[in-house]
């Protein structure tokens, strides 16, 4: 009976260690693939829209176009989706390090 408990405990411990190692390795790989956000100011050109800007600058992030536009609007204090040529916006872009 005691031998069965020891074997059971050892198996459970082994499963926990392997699961933890797998999760840690997975998280480490995920962090390696994360892009670093950078910020810059751009001048809006005639014909530009928030959707075009999002498509241009969200590459490398996990954000959807809608999420990126929401972020742009928050960063720049925009209440509407309308932008005008000559206006400056701060945008976030992503690069792998």
């Amino acid at each position: 009976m005691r031998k069965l408990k020891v074997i059971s405990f050892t198996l459970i411990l082994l499963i926990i260690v392997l699961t933890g190692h797998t999760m840690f390795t997975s998280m480490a790989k995920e962090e390696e693939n994360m892009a670093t956000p950078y910020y810059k100011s751009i001048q809006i050109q005639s014909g530009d829209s928030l959707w075009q800007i999002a498509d241009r600058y969200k590459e490398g992030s996990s954000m959807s176009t809608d999420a990126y536009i929401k972020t742009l609007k928050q960063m720049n204090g925009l209440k509407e989706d309308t932008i005008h040529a000559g206006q400056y916006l701060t945008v976030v872009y992503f690069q792998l390090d």
Side-chain angles (χ1 to χ4, degrees):
M1 183 72 162
R2 179 177 162 89
K3 189 174 185 178
L4 182 60
K5 286 182 182 180
V6 170
I7 291 172
S8 296
F9 177 77
T10 304
L11 284 174
I12 291 171
L13 186 60
L14 182 63
I15 290 169
I16 290 170
V17 168
L18 289 175
T19 303
H21 174 72
T22 303
M23 287 177 60
F24 179 75
T25 303
S26 165
M27 289 171 56
K29 285 181 183 176
E30 194 173 290
E31 285 183 16
E32 287 175 8
N33 294 331
M34 290 183 64
T36 302
Y38 295 92
Y39 300 87
K40 71 177 186 177
S41 180
I42 62 166
Q43 186 174 22
I44 304 305
Q45 303 301 311
S46 180
D48 280 350
S49 71
L50 291 177
W51 288 266
Q52 292 168 325
I53 292 168
D55 286 340
R56 191 176 314 143
Y57 291 102
K58 74 178 178 78
E59 186 177 330
S61 79
S62 60
M63 283 193 271
S64 68
T65 299
D66 288 338
Y68 186 90
I69 289 171
K70 183 177 179 180
T71 299
L72 273 183
K73 288 172 71 174
Q74 288 174 342
M75 286 173 35
N76 291 282
L78 299 175
K79 304 279 187 226
E80 305 291 328
D81 293 342
T82 306
I83 55 176
H84 304 282
Q87 179 180 3
Y88 285 88
L89 288 181
T90 300
V91 296
V92 59
Y93 63 99
F94 302 86
Q95 290 184 334
L96 291 174
D97 291 330

